[in-house]
Amino acid sequence: MTTAIIDYGSGNLRSAAKAFERATAEAGLPGPIHVTSSAEVVAAADRIVLPGVGAFGNCRAGLGALPGMWDALEDAVIHKGRPFLGICVGMQLMADRGLEHGGADGFGWIAGEVRPLDPSCSQLKVPHMGWNDLQVNGEGQADDAVHPVLAEISPGDHVYFVHSFGFVCAHAKHRLAHVDYGGPVSAVIGRDNMIGTQFHPEKSQAVGLKFIENFLRWRP
Amino acid sequence: MLKARVIPCLDVKDGRVVKGINFVDLRDAGDPVEQARIYDAAGADELCFLDITASSDNRDTIFDVVRRTAEQCFMPLTVGGGVRSVDNVRDLLLSGADKVAINTAAVHRPELVREAAEKFGSQCIVIAVDAKSTGPGRWEVFTHGGREPTGIDAVAWARKMETLGAGEILLTSMDRDGTRQGFDIPATQTIADALSIPVIASGGVGNLDHLVAGIRKGHASAVLAASIFHFGEHTIGDAKAHMAAAGIPVRL
């Protein structure tokens, strides 16, 4: 089982790669982790991870600059249904549109917009930076209500955020978990074979590694 | 709810920890990576390395330290000290730092902050402000590890840094640093209230009540401390339990 982490010049991928390697080893899962800018490697991968830090438009442009990458992604995720994880801006890119720096189109995979955080309480700082506790949708309901990638993530588990823009889903069912920051902020979104986190699992210590392991085991 | 952060800071010189935890069971107390692992396991919310390497010959040692830390510790890491250019910022980020703290170079050329924030995102640009009191309600920015006065008003400076794209301010009181008398609360509160980005309080922590005061009275989003953790007087867990008991939301 190969996992491709897409390198499109958006910041450091070392910690993401190391976190995936650690989670793979600890769970006894097979398969290498490839950090790659090659569309061919992405096309051949069993799982795809799109990290991302910085501005929405820059990330979109950086991804678009890789030859064949956009087609490879669309084919693997939309047509072949391979499991996909977007992290931070990598998650935001799944939206129809991002409003940062004048705006740019996203993939349009999950209906919604990426808008500036606007906490109802003016004393709250932006960026939303630090550890916040996840409210997982479906928690306490029937067993199958919780998304498998969020399995064993307990109420009150903390994960690490650093962002100034948030994913506003057009359909509530696509928001799988949120945190409270002057109102609900999307923490995990997803549908079918795709999932995205606003937080950084690779920086969220044990809870983050558990999330990564869940993603690597996920069979949507 | 977002939690107040507790951030231990390690001084690193020539790739070795200068001030660090002095536990008997450490195999190599001078190894920054080993110390980072202890803080990771102890539940520190972030970790800060301050590179105080003087000789330019040994400046690359920090990259190896950051690289090895990022391979083993899955927590946010800030690195500061000697950052002079966009290339320096990039090298640290590529080594595995999540945020880079800039001080002197921002005073010399404020545009560096805008360039770095545009290139890598505001979330990874921390501006370290070393401030010294010059009268009631007034503080001056110092550079070069607190040795050089600049004549710049610290509050106006912090505001300017926010405008240029800084994502966070690390405010160290030169009056309090090393005194163990607690943070400079008026300075912290004045600057935290003047900005919409988070402020980390630093300098002067001598006991756990000081951490509470930094958040509650200083309105800081995070507290940074070195010696109270390194010498084993208090653990990260002690600090958080104390803050929680005082009603401050922390990640336990």
Side-chain angles (χ1 to χ4, degrees), chain A residues 12 14 18-19 22 125-126 129 131-133 158 160 162 202-203 205, chain B residues 1 3 40 45-46 67 71 74 93 98-99 123 168 192 195-196 251:
Chain A
N12 166 56
R14 169 174 289 267
K18 290 292 166 189
R22 170 77 70 90
K125 305 286 192 177
V126 177
M129 188 184 286
W131 298 80
N132 207 327
D133 53 316
H158 288 80
Y160 187 80
V162 48
E202 78 281 14
K203 291 289 160 187
Q205 294 176 335
Chain B
M1 178 190 277
K3 303 303 187 290
D40 187 23
D45 295 313
E46 294 183 18
R67 208 172 289 127
E71 283 173 7
F74 302 107
L93 293 175
D98 298 290
K99 307 186 223 179
Q123 83 290 335
E168 192 171 39
L195 304 181
S196 64
R251 180 180 66 118

PDB file of all heavy atoms in Angstrom, chain A residues 12 14 18-19 22 125-126 129 131-133 158 160 162 202-203 205, chain B residues 1 3 40 45-46 67 71 74 93 98-99 123 168 192 195-196 251:
ATOM      1  N   ASN A  12       7.168  22.831   4.624  1.00  0.00           N
ATOM      2  CA  ASN A  12       7.934  21.667   4.999  1.00  0.00           C
ATOM      3  C   ASN A  12       7.075  20.420   5.045  1.00  0.00           C
ATOM      4  O   ASN A  12       6.018  20.405   5.660  1.00  0.00           O
ATOM      5  CB  ASN A  12       8.534  21.915   6.378  1.00  0.00           C
ATOM      6  CG  ASN A  12       9.052  20.635   6.970  1.00  0.00           C
ATOM      7  OD1 ASN A  12       9.875  19.969   6.362  1.00  0.00           O
ATOM      8  ND2 ASN A  12       8.573  20.287   8.131  1.00  0.00           N
ATOM      9  N   ARG A  14       8.600  17.432   5.811  1.00  0.00           N
ATOM     10  CA  ARG A  14       9.358  16.449   6.582  1.00  0.00           C
ATOM     11  C   ARG A  14       8.545  15.918   7.753  1.00  0.00           C
ATOM     12  O   ARG A  14       8.464  14.705   7.967  1.00  0.00           O
ATOM     13  CB  ARG A  14      10.646  17.089   7.095  1.00  0.00           C
ATOM     14  CG  ARG A  14      11.401  16.280   8.105  1.00  0.00           C
ATOM     15  CD  ARG A  14      12.725  16.939   8.417  1.00  0.00           C
ATOM     16  NE  ARG A  14      13.615  16.824   7.282  1.00  0.00           N
ATOM     17  CZ  ARG A  14      14.498  15.833   7.145  1.00  0.00           C
ATOM     18  NH1 ARG A  14      14.602  14.916   8.065  1.00  0.00           N
ATOM     19  NH2 ARG A  14      15.270  15.774   6.099  1.00  0.00           N
ATOM     20  N   LYS A  18       7.307  12.137   8.263  1.00  0.00           N
ATOM     21  CA  LYS A  18       7.759  11.366   9.432  1.00  0.00           C
ATOM     22  C   LYS A  18       6.591  10.891  10.272  1.00  0.00           C
ATOM     23  O   LYS A  18       6.610   9.797  10.829  1.00  0.00           O
ATOM     24  CB  LYS A  18       8.713  12.221  10.278  1.00  0.00           C
ATOM     25  CG  LYS A  18      10.042  12.467   9.618  1.00  0.00           C
ATOM     26  CD  LYS A  18      10.846  11.178   9.513  1.00  0.00           C
ATOM     27  CE  LYS A  18      12.021  11.354   8.557  1.00  0.00           C
ATOM     28  NZ  LYS A  18      12.699  10.077   8.275  1.00  0.00           N
ATOM     29  N   ALA A  19       5.563  11.719  10.387  1.00  0.00           N
ATOM     30  CA  ALA A  19       4.392  11.319  11.165  1.00  0.00           C
ATOM     31  C   ALA A  19       3.688  10.144  10.495  1.00  0.00           C
ATOM     32  O   ALA A  19       3.241   9.207  11.166  1.00  0.00           O
ATOM     33  CB  ALA A  19       3.439  12.503  11.330  1.00  0.00           C
ATOM     34  N   ARG A  22       5.780   7.078  11.106  1.00  0.00           N
ATOM     35  CA  ARG A  22       5.631   6.610  12.482  1.00  0.00           C
ATOM     36  C   ARG A  22       4.305   5.875  12.655  1.00  0.00           C
ATOM     37  O   ARG A  22       4.258   4.776  13.216  1.00  0.00           O
ATOM     38  CB  ARG A  22       5.721   7.789  13.448  1.00  0.00           C
ATOM     39  CG  ARG A  22       5.337   7.480  14.886  1.00  0.00           C
ATOM     40  CD  ARG A  22       6.419   6.729  15.640  1.00  0.00           C
ATOM     41  NE  ARG A  22       7.566   7.582  15.881  1.00  0.00           N
ATOM     42  CZ  ARG A  22       7.718   8.341  16.970  1.00  0.00           C
ATOM     43  NH1 ARG A  22       6.827   8.312  17.922  1.00  0.00           N
ATOM     44  NH2 ARG A  22       8.782   9.096  17.124  1.00  0.00           N
ATOM     45  N   LYS A 125      -8.226  36.080  19.207  1.00  0.00           N
ATOM     46  CA  LYS A 125      -7.162  36.440  18.281  1.00  0.00           C
ATOM     47  C   LYS A 125      -7.298  35.690  16.965  1.00  0.00           C
ATOM     48  O   LYS A 125      -7.773  34.562  16.923  1.00  0.00           O
ATOM     49  CB  LYS A 125      -5.804  36.106  18.905  1.00  0.00           C
ATOM     50  CG  LYS A 125      -5.551  36.744  20.271  1.00  0.00           C
ATOM     51  CD  LYS A 125      -5.277  38.203  20.123  1.00  0.00           C
ATOM     52  CE  LYS A 125      -4.747  38.809  21.415  1.00  0.00           C
ATOM     53  NZ  LYS A 125      -4.410  40.220  21.231  1.00  0.00           N
ATOM     54  N   VAL A 126      -6.844  36.317  15.906  1.00  0.00           N
ATOM     55  CA  VAL A 126      -6.689  35.658  14.610  1.00  0.00           C
ATOM     56  C   VAL A 126      -5.254  35.905  14.167  1.00  0.00           C
ATOM     57  O   VAL A 126      -4.819  37.058  14.166  1.00  0.00           O
ATOM     58  CB  VAL A 126      -7.670  36.238  13.567  1.00  0.00           C
ATOM     59  CG1 VAL A 126      -7.443  35.600  12.197  1.00  0.00           C
ATOM     60  CG2 VAL A 126      -9.104  36.031  14.011  1.00  0.00           C
ATOM     61  N   MET A 129      -4.692  30.004  16.809  1.00  0.00           N
ATOM     62  CA  MET A 129      -3.416  29.311  16.924  1.00  0.00           C
ATOM     63  C   MET A 129      -3.332  28.567  18.237  1.00  0.00           C
ATOM     64  O   MET A 129      -3.433  29.189  19.290  1.00  0.00           O
ATOM     65  CB  MET A 129      -2.268  30.331  16.831  1.00  0.00           C
ATOM     66  CG  MET A 129      -0.892  29.705  16.749  1.00  0.00           C
ATOM     67  SD  MET A 129       0.423  30.934  16.764  1.00  0.00           S
ATOM     68  CE  MET A 129       0.312  31.640  15.127  1.00  0.00           C
ATOM     69  N   TRP A 131      -4.135  24.745  20.607  1.00  0.00           N
ATOM     70  CA  TRP A 131      -4.837  23.471  20.790  1.00  0.00           C
ATOM     71  C   TRP A 131      -6.298  23.737  21.126  1.00  0.00           C
ATOM     72  O   TRP A 131      -6.608  24.487  22.040  1.00  0.00           O
ATOM     73  CB  TRP A 131      -4.181  22.670  21.898  1.00  0.00           C
ATOM     74  CG  TRP A 131      -2.760  22.298  21.607  1.00  0.00           C
ATOM     75  CD1 TRP A 131      -1.652  23.089  21.744  1.00  0.00           C
ATOM     76  CD2 TRP A 131      -2.298  21.051  21.099  1.00  0.00           C
ATOM     77  NE1 TRP A 131      -0.525  22.393  21.364  1.00  0.00           N
ATOM     78  CE2 TRP A 131      -0.887  21.135  20.973  1.00  0.00           C
ATOM     79  CE3 TRP A 131      -2.924  19.842  20.758  1.00  0.00           C
ATOM     80  CZ2 TRP A 131      -0.109  20.074  20.507  1.00  0.00           C
ATOM     81  CZ3 TRP A 131      -2.137  18.790  20.299  1.00  0.00           C
ATOM     82  CH2 TRP A 131      -0.748  18.913  20.185  1.00  0.00           C
ATOM     83  N   ASN A 132      -7.174  23.080  20.373  1.00  0.00           N
ATOM     84  CA  ASN A 132      -8.604  23.220  20.613  1.00  0.00           C
ATOM     85  C   ASN A 132      -9.210  21.822  20.643  1.00  0.00           C
ATOM     86  O   ASN A 132      -8.679  20.892  20.032  1.00  0.00           O
ATOM     87  CB  ASN A 132      -9.233  24.081  19.513  1.00  0.00           C
ATOM     88  CG  ASN A 132     -10.486  24.804  19.984  1.00  0.00           C
ATOM     89  OD1 ASN A 132     -11.232  24.285  20.820  1.00  0.00           O
ATOM     90  ND2 ASN A 132     -10.729  25.984  19.436  1.00  0.00           N
ATOM     91  N   ASP A 133     -10.317  21.668  21.383  1.00  0.00           N
ATOM     92  CA  ASP A 133     -10.902  20.329  21.549  1.00  0.00           C
ATOM     93  C   ASP A 133     -11.991  20.063  20.511  1.00  0.00           C
ATOM     94  O   ASP A 133     -12.858  20.889  20.267  1.00  0.00           O
ATOM     95  CB  ASP A 133     -11.423  20.122  22.970  1.00  0.00           C
ATOM     96  CG  ASP A 133     -12.363  21.220  23.420  1.00  0.00           C
ATOM     97  OD1 ASP A 133     -12.055  22.402  23.167  1.00  0.00           O
ATOM     98  OD2 ASP A 133     -13.414  20.905  24.003  1.00  0.00           O
ATOM     99  N   HIS A 158      -7.643  17.041  22.078  1.00  0.00           N
ATOM    100  CA  HIS A 158      -7.170  18.306  21.512  1.00  0.00           C
ATOM    101  C   HIS A 158      -6.289  18.078  20.283  1.00  0.00           C
ATOM    102  O   HIS A 158      -5.506  17.132  20.242  1.00  0.00           O
ATOM    103  CB  HIS A 158      -6.358  19.084  22.546  1.00  0.00           C
ATOM    104  CG  HIS A 158      -7.183  19.673  23.630  1.00  0.00           C
ATOM    105  ND1 HIS A 158      -7.628  18.934  24.689  1.00  0.00           N
ATOM    106  CD2 HIS A 158      -7.657  20.921  23.813  1.00  0.00           C
ATOM    107  CE1 HIS A 158      -8.342  19.713  25.497  1.00  0.00           C
ATOM    108  NE2 HIS A 158      -8.377  20.926  24.978  1.00  0.00           N
ATOM    109  N   TYR A 160      -3.978  20.476  17.070  1.00  0.00           N
ATOM    110  CA  TYR A 160      -3.288  21.758  16.905  1.00  0.00           C
ATOM    111  C   TYR A 160      -3.714  22.487  15.627  1.00  0.00           C
ATOM    112  O   TYR A 160      -3.631  21.952  14.538  1.00  0.00           O
ATOM    113  CB  TYR A 160      -1.771  21.535  16.878  1.00  0.00           C
ATOM    114  CG  TYR A 160      -0.994  22.827  16.880  1.00  0.00           C
ATOM    115  CD1 TYR A 160      -0.785  23.521  18.064  1.00  0.00           C
ATOM    116  CD2 TYR A 160      -0.484  23.363  15.707  1.00  0.00           C
ATOM    117  CE1 TYR A 160      -0.089  24.717  18.075  1.00  0.00           C
ATOM    118  CE2 TYR A 160       0.217  24.560  15.709  1.00  0.00           C
ATOM    119  CZ  TYR A 160       0.404  25.225  16.903  1.00  0.00           C
ATOM    120  OH  TYR A 160       1.092  26.401  16.905  1.00  0.00           O
ATOM    121  N   VAL A 162      -3.522  26.202  13.286  1.00  0.00           N
ATOM    122  CA  VAL A 162      -2.970  27.528  13.034  1.00  0.00           C
ATOM    123  C   VAL A 162      -3.500  27.975  11.672  1.00  0.00           C
ATOM    124  O   VAL A 162      -3.092  27.485  10.626  1.00  0.00           O
ATOM    125  CB  VAL A 162      -1.426  27.574  13.148  1.00  0.00           C
ATOM    126  CG1 VAL A 162      -0.739  26.469  12.382  1.00  0.00           C
ATOM    127  CG2 VAL A 162      -0.886  28.916  12.722  1.00  0.00           C
ATOM    128  N   GLU A 202      -0.107  15.999  11.967  1.00  0.00           N
ATOM    129  CA  GLU A 202       1.331  15.717  12.123  1.00  0.00           C
ATOM    130  C   GLU A 202       1.956  16.537  13.239  1.00  0.00           C
ATOM    131  O   GLU A 202       3.118  16.358  13.577  1.00  0.00           O
ATOM    132  CB  GLU A 202       2.054  15.954  10.789  1.00  0.00           C
ATOM    133  CG  GLU A 202       2.335  17.404  10.413  1.00  0.00           C
ATOM    134  CD  GLU A 202       1.127  18.168   9.846  1.00  0.00           C
ATOM    135  OE1 GLU A 202      -0.011  17.680   9.979  1.00  0.00           O
ATOM    136  OE2 GLU A 202       1.341  19.271   9.309  1.00  0.00           O
ATOM    137  N   LYS A 203       1.163  17.464  13.826  1.00  0.00           N
ATOM    138  CA  LYS A 203       1.668  18.279  14.934  1.00  0.00           C
ATOM    139  C   LYS A 203       0.823  18.076  16.186  1.00  0.00           C
ATOM    140  O   LYS A 203       0.932  18.847  17.140  1.00  0.00           O
ATOM    141  CB  LYS A 203       1.617  19.767  14.544  1.00  0.00           C
ATOM    142  CG  LYS A 203       2.602  20.132  13.477  1.00  0.00           C
ATOM    143  CD  LYS A 203       4.007  20.104  14.024  1.00  0.00           C
ATOM    144  CE  LYS A 203       5.025  19.980  12.914  1.00  0.00           C
ATOM    145  NZ  LYS A 203       6.375  19.780  13.460  1.00  0.00           N
ATOM    146  N   GLN A 205       0.581  15.414  18.274  1.00  0.00           N
ATOM    147  CA  GLN A 205       1.053  14.381  19.186  1.00  0.00           C
ATOM    148  C   GLN A 205       0.245  13.093  19.032  1.00  0.00           C
ATOM    149  O   GLN A 205      -0.042  12.662  17.912  1.00  0.00           O
ATOM    150  CB  GLN A 205       1.071  14.941  20.615  1.00  0.00           C
ATOM    151  CG  GLN A 205       2.120  16.060  20.745  1.00  0.00           C
ATOM    152  CD  GLN A 205       2.153  16.753  22.092  1.00  0.00           C
ATOM    153  OE1 GLN A 205       1.175  16.788  22.817  1.00  0.00           O
ATOM    154  NE2 GLN A 205       3.288  17.341  22.430  1.00  0.00           N
TER     155      GLN A 205
ATOM    156  N   MET B   1     -12.944  24.938  22.861  1.00  0.00           N
ATOM    157  CA  MET B   1     -12.355  26.208  23.265  1.00  0.00           C
ATOM    158  C   MET B   1     -10.843  26.152  23.096  1.00  0.00           C
ATOM    159  O   MET B   1     -10.210  25.133  23.372  1.00  0.00           O
ATOM    160  CB  MET B   1     -12.707  26.457  24.738  1.00  0.00           C
ATOM    161  CG  MET B   1     -12.111  27.718  25.308  1.00  0.00           C
ATOM    162  SD  MET B   1     -12.329  27.777  27.093  1.00  0.00           S
ATOM    163  CE  MET B   1     -13.985  28.408  27.205  1.00  0.00           C
ATOM    164  N   LYS B   3      -7.064  26.669  23.960  1.00  0.00           N
ATOM    165  CA  LYS B   3      -6.409  26.604  25.257  1.00  0.00           C
ATOM    166  C   LYS B   3      -5.178  27.518  25.316  1.00  0.00           C
ATOM    167  O   LYS B   3      -4.529  27.751  24.297  1.00  0.00           O
ATOM    168  CB  LYS B   3      -5.972  25.157  25.543  1.00  0.00           C
ATOM    169  CG  LYS B   3      -7.125  24.153  25.485  1.00  0.00           C
ATOM    170  CD  LYS B   3      -8.254  24.521  26.452  1.00  0.00           C
ATOM    171  CE  LYS B   3      -9.329  23.464  26.538  1.00  0.00           C
ATOM    172  NZ  LYS B   3     -10.164  23.347  25.329  1.00  0.00           N
ATOM    173  N   ASP B  40       8.000  16.795  24.792  1.00  0.00           N
ATOM    174  CA  ASP B  40       6.929  16.235  23.952  1.00  0.00           C
ATOM    175  C   ASP B  40       6.099  15.260  24.786  1.00  0.00           C
ATOM    176  O   ASP B  40       4.871  15.350  24.862  1.00  0.00           O
ATOM    177  CB  ASP B  40       7.570  15.536  22.740  1.00  0.00           C
ATOM    178  CG  ASP B  40       6.549  15.061  21.716  1.00  0.00           C
ATOM    179  OD1 ASP B  40       5.426  15.602  21.680  1.00  0.00           O
ATOM    180  OD2 ASP B  40       6.883  14.156  20.929  1.00  0.00           O
ATOM    181  N   ASP B  45       2.887  22.275  24.927  1.00  0.00           N
ATOM    182  CA  ASP B  45       2.009  22.621  23.809  1.00  0.00           C
ATOM    183  C   ASP B  45       2.784  23.000  22.558  1.00  0.00           C
ATOM    184  O   ASP B  45       2.277  22.874  21.440  1.00  0.00           O
ATOM    185  CB  ASP B  45       1.084  23.762  24.210  1.00  0.00           C
ATOM    186  CG  ASP B  45       0.136  23.338  25.319  1.00  0.00           C
ATOM    187  OD1 ASP B  45      -0.449  22.262  25.193  1.00  0.00           O
ATOM    188  OD2 ASP B  45       0.018  24.079  26.315  1.00  0.00           O
ATOM    189  N   GLU B  46       3.968  23.511  22.752  1.00  0.00           N
ATOM    190  CA  GLU B  46       4.878  23.829  21.661  1.00  0.00           C
ATOM    191  C   GLU B  46       6.270  23.775  22.275  1.00  0.00           C
ATOM    192  O   GLU B  46       6.423  23.726  23.496  1.00  0.00           O
ATOM    193  CB  GLU B  46       4.655  25.247  21.103  1.00  0.00           C
ATOM    194  CG  GLU B  46       3.336  25.461  20.427  1.00  0.00           C
ATOM    195  CD  GLU B  46       3.201  26.869  19.834  1.00  0.00           C
ATOM    196  OE1 GLU B  46       4.219  27.560  19.643  1.00  0.00           O
ATOM    197  OE2 GLU B  46       2.059  27.260  19.564  1.00  0.00           O
ATOM    198  N   ARG B  67      16.112  19.262  12.309  1.00  0.00           N
ATOM    199  CA  ARG B  67      15.773  18.109  11.484  1.00  0.00           C
ATOM    200  C   ARG B  67      15.527  16.877  12.349  1.00  0.00           C
ATOM    201  O   ARG B  67      14.512  16.190  12.216  1.00  0.00           O
ATOM    202  CB  ARG B  67      16.937  17.846  10.517  1.00  0.00           C
ATOM    203  CG  ARG B  67      16.538  17.188   9.227  1.00  0.00           C
ATOM    204  CD  ARG B  67      17.721  17.159   8.267  1.00  0.00           C
ATOM    205  NE  ARG B  67      18.055  18.471   7.747  1.00  0.00           N
ATOM    206  CZ  ARG B  67      19.264  19.023   7.784  1.00  0.00           C
ATOM    207  NH1 ARG B  67      20.288  18.384   8.338  1.00  0.00           N
ATOM    208  NH2 ARG B  67      19.470  20.217   7.276  1.00  0.00           N
ATOM    209  N   GLU B  71      11.867  14.843  13.287  1.00  0.00           N
ATOM    210  CA  GLU B  71      11.672  13.436  12.951  1.00  0.00           C
ATOM    211  C   GLU B  71      11.061  12.657  14.102  1.00  0.00           C
ATOM    212  O   GLU B  71      10.491  11.594  13.919  1.00  0.00           O
ATOM    213  CB  GLU B  71      13.018  12.797  12.582  1.00  0.00           C
ATOM    214  CG  GLU B  71      13.475  13.167  11.195  1.00  0.00           C
ATOM    215  CD  GLU B  71      14.881  12.676  10.890  1.00  0.00           C
ATOM    216  OE1 GLU B  71      15.456  11.935  11.723  1.00  0.00           O
ATOM    217  OE2 GLU B  71      15.402  13.045   9.825  1.00  0.00           O
ATOM    218  N   PHE B  74       6.230  15.140  17.296  1.00  0.00           N
ATOM    219  CA  PHE B  74       5.136  15.588  16.444  1.00  0.00           C
ATOM    220  C   PHE B  74       4.353  16.678  17.157  1.00  0.00           C
ATOM    221  O   PHE B  74       3.190  16.510  17.526  1.00  0.00           O
ATOM    222  CB  PHE B  74       4.296  14.390  16.013  1.00  0.00           C
ATOM    223  CG  PHE B  74       5.134  13.375  15.296  1.00  0.00           C
ATOM    224  CD1 PHE B  74       5.492  12.182  15.885  1.00  0.00           C
ATOM    225  CD2 PHE B  74       5.639  13.674  14.036  1.00  0.00           C
ATOM    226  CE1 PHE B  74       6.299  11.270  15.229  1.00  0.00           C
ATOM    227  CE2 PHE B  74       6.446  12.773  13.362  1.00  0.00           C
ATOM    228  CZ  PHE B  74       6.777  11.570  13.963  1.00  0.00           C
ATOM    229  N   LEU B  93      12.488  26.347   7.967  1.00  0.00           N
ATOM    230  CA  LEU B  93      11.205  25.678   7.710  1.00  0.00           C
ATOM    231  C   LEU B  93      11.424  24.340   7.019  1.00  0.00           C
ATOM    232  O   LEU B  93      10.790  23.341   7.364  1.00  0.00           O
ATOM    233  CB  LEU B  93      10.294  26.572   6.851  1.00  0.00           C
ATOM    234  CG  LEU B  93       9.798  27.865   7.512  1.00  0.00           C
ATOM    235  CD1 LEU B  93       9.006  28.695   6.511  1.00  0.00           C
ATOM    236  CD2 LEU B  93       8.945  27.572   8.746  1.00  0.00           C
ATOM    237  N   ASP B  98       8.250  24.810  12.467  1.00  0.00           N
ATOM    238  CA  ASP B  98       6.912  25.234  12.063  1.00  0.00           C
ATOM    239  C   ASP B  98       6.803  26.742  12.046  1.00  0.00           C
ATOM    240  O   ASP B  98       6.027  27.309  11.296  1.00  0.00           O
ATOM    241  CB  ASP B  98       5.870  24.659  13.018  1.00  0.00           C
ATOM    242  CG  ASP B  98       5.897  23.162  12.968  1.00  0.00           C
ATOM    243  OD1 ASP B  98       5.484  22.616  11.947  1.00  0.00           O
ATOM    244  OD2 ASP B  98       6.365  22.537  13.939  1.00  0.00           O
ATOM    245  N   LYS B  99       7.551  27.388  12.933  1.00  0.00           N
ATOM    246  CA  LYS B  99       7.551  28.843  12.984  1.00  0.00           C
ATOM    247  C   LYS B  99       8.985  29.313  13.169  1.00  0.00           C
ATOM    248  O   LYS B  99       9.805  28.619  13.767  1.00  0.00           O
ATOM    249  CB  LYS B  99       6.719  29.352  14.172  1.00  0.00           C
ATOM    250  CG  LYS B  99       5.309  28.811  14.238  1.00  0.00           C
ATOM    251  CD  LYS B  99       4.553  29.504  15.357  1.00  0.00           C
ATOM    252  CE  LYS B  99       3.721  28.535  16.160  1.00  0.00           C
ATOM    253  NZ  LYS B  99       2.999  29.176  17.260  1.00  0.00           N
ATOM    254  N   GLN B 123       1.370  32.516   9.401  1.00  0.00           N
ATOM    255  CA  GLN B 123       1.297  31.558  10.515  1.00  0.00           C
ATOM    256  C   GLN B 123       2.676  31.115  10.986  1.00  0.00           C
ATOM    257  O   GLN B 123       2.821  30.649  12.108  1.00  0.00           O
ATOM    258  CB  GLN B 123       0.452  30.348  10.134  1.00  0.00           C
ATOM    259  CG  GLN B 123       1.152  29.250   9.352  1.00  0.00           C
ATOM    260  CD  GLN B 123       1.496  29.654   7.929  1.00  0.00           C
ATOM    261  OE1 GLN B 123       0.851  30.521   7.360  1.00  0.00           O
ATOM    262  NE2 GLN B 123       2.535  29.059   7.367  1.00  0.00           N
ATOM    263  N   GLU B 168       2.393  36.210  15.016  1.00  0.00           N
ATOM    264  CA  GLU B 168       2.452  36.095  16.470  1.00  0.00           C
ATOM    265  C   GLU B 168       3.603  36.962  16.985  1.00  0.00           C
ATOM    266  O   GLU B 168       4.566  37.196  16.263  1.00  0.00           O
ATOM    267  CB  GLU B 168       2.707  34.617  16.823  1.00  0.00           C
ATOM    268  CG  GLU B 168       2.518  34.242  18.268  1.00  0.00           C
ATOM    269  CD  GLU B 168       2.575  32.729  18.447  1.00  0.00           C
ATOM    270  OE1 GLU B 168       3.394  32.072  17.788  1.00  0.00           O
ATOM    271  OE2 GLU B 168       1.782  32.195  19.252  1.00  0.00           O
ATOM    272  N   ALA B 192      -0.662  43.000  24.149  1.00  0.00           N
ATOM    273  CA  ALA B 192      -1.678  41.998  23.778  1.00  0.00           C
ATOM    274  C   ALA B 192      -2.990  42.687  23.417  1.00  0.00           C
ATOM    275  O   ALA B 192      -3.655  42.311  22.445  1.00  0.00           O
ATOM    276  CB  ALA B 192      -1.884  40.994  24.912  1.00  0.00           C
ATOM    277  N   LEU B 195      -3.150  44.381  19.862  1.00  0.00           N
ATOM    278  CA  LEU B 195      -3.003  43.564  18.653  1.00  0.00           C
ATOM    279  C   LEU B 195      -4.151  42.586  18.503  1.00  0.00           C
ATOM    280  O   LEU B 195      -4.795  42.198  19.486  1.00  0.00           O
ATOM    281  CB  LEU B 195      -1.697  42.757  18.721  1.00  0.00           C
ATOM    282  CG  LEU B 195      -0.394  43.527  18.926  1.00  0.00           C
ATOM    283  CD1 LEU B 195       0.764  42.545  18.950  1.00  0.00           C
ATOM    284  CD2 LEU B 195      -0.195  44.555  17.839  1.00  0.00           C
ATOM    285  N   SER B 196      -4.366  42.145  17.265  1.00  0.00           N
ATOM    286  CA  SER B 196      -5.343  41.078  17.074  1.00  0.00           C
ATOM    287  C   SER B 196      -4.660  39.732  16.879  1.00  0.00           C
ATOM    288  O   SER B 196      -5.317  38.694  16.800  1.00  0.00           O
ATOM    289  CB  SER B 196      -6.261  41.382  15.896  1.00  0.00           C
ATOM    290  OG  SER B 196      -5.516  41.421  14.716  1.00  0.00           O
ATOM    291  N   ARG B 251      -4.768  22.519  27.990  1.00  0.00           N
ATOM    292  CA  ARG B 251      -4.883  21.142  27.484  1.00  0.00           C
ATOM    293  C   ARG B 251      -4.198  20.221  28.493  1.00  0.00           C
ATOM    294  O   ARG B 251      -2.979  20.271  28.651  1.00  0.00           O
ATOM    295  CB  ARG B 251      -4.183  21.047  26.116  1.00  0.00           C
ATOM    296  CG  ARG B 251      -4.222  19.678  25.483  1.00  0.00           C
ATOM    297  CD  ARG B 251      -3.511  19.697  24.149  1.00  0.00           C
ATOM    298  NE  ARG B 251      -2.092  19.941  24.290  1.00  0.00           N
ATOM    299  CZ  ARG B 251      -1.137  19.063  23.918  1.00  0.00           C
ATOM    300  NH1 ARG B 251      -1.448  17.925  23.380  1.00  0.00           N
ATOM    301  NH2 ARG B 251       0.134  19.368  24.084  1.00  0.00           N
TER     302      ARG B 251
END
